[in-house]
Amino acid sequence: MVTSSRLDVPPGPGFVATVAAATGVYRRGNLALAQLLITHPGPRRQGETADTVEDGMRRLATALRLCPGDQDPPVIGAQLMTSRGHVALDYGHDQYVMTIPQPSQDWLALVAVGAACRVCLVITPLALAADQAETDAHIRASLARGQLMWGTTFARRRL
């Protein structure tokens, strides 16, 4: 009999509601790449610990089929859904999606025309109050420790 590991089960909506998401656009010359950074601010809910947060983030990364940041990012399929300026990420739960709050207008414009979006998920918690330099240092340290996962997605086509 085959059993699934706990990592095979996407986290529930209670955990995903505590995840932070930020959008941005990487530009180099004529290249523009939409980016989605997914982090967690650390334990905030009753019974939550650093270990349960990291477990939830690993489960989220597994559900999204992300790979370690030191490998080429896999294409994970059309996981983004957009409608009138609102965006959600299908993270593999059979009933829920993750809302992406306040995406930037330039990010939305890229995603709306089918551009690729690089998803970067950091396993270890990052404080909500972290500034750009702290965020950059945290991402680099997480990559060095194997705690950064990524993949490439795009928006689903509307019929």
Side-chain angles (χ1 to χ4, degrees), residues 3-155:
T3 60
S4 66
S5 88
R6 179 156 167 73
L7 285 178
D8 292 338
V9 179
F15 177 81
V16 172
T18 64
V19 170
T23 60
V25 176
Y26 171 80
R27 296 185 190 281
R28 177 177 271 173
N30 290 336
L31 171 72
L33 177 66
Q35 296 181 324
L36 175 61
L37 176 63
I38 301 173
T39 62
H40 196 288
R44 297 187 300 175
R45 299 184 307 159
Q46 184 174 359
E48 208 167 43
T49 66
D51 287 341
T52 63
V53 166
E54 288 187 23
D55 175 69
M57 293 301 280
R58 287 184 195 287
R59 290 172 50 210
L60 184 55
T62 298
L64 284 166
R65 300 180 316 280
L66 303 178
C67 78
D70 62 353
Q71 299 176 15
D72 289 338
V75 175
I76 62 172
Q79 303 302 97
L80 293 171
M81 297 169 281
T82 65
S83 178
R84 291 182 259 158
H86 299 282
V87 181
L89 177 67
D90 181 347
Y91 69 95
H93 195 283
D94 61 355
Q95 296 178 18
Y96 301 98
V97 293
M98 182 174 115
T99 301
I100 308 302
Q102 302 176 341
S104 66
Q105 291 302 308
D106 56 343
W107 186 91
L108 266 174
L110 279 173
V111 169
V113 297
C117 176
R118 184 67 37 80
V119 177
C120 178
L121 182 146
V122 181
I123 302 292
T124 54
L126 174 66
L128 288 175
D131 64 19
Q132 185 63 44
E134 292 167 324
T135 300
D136 185 56
H138 185 73
I139 289 171
R140 289 177 190 279
S142 295
L143 176 61
R145 291 189 311 267
Q147 296 178 317
L148 183 135
M149 308 295 284
W150 68 346
T152 303
T153 189
F154 46 91

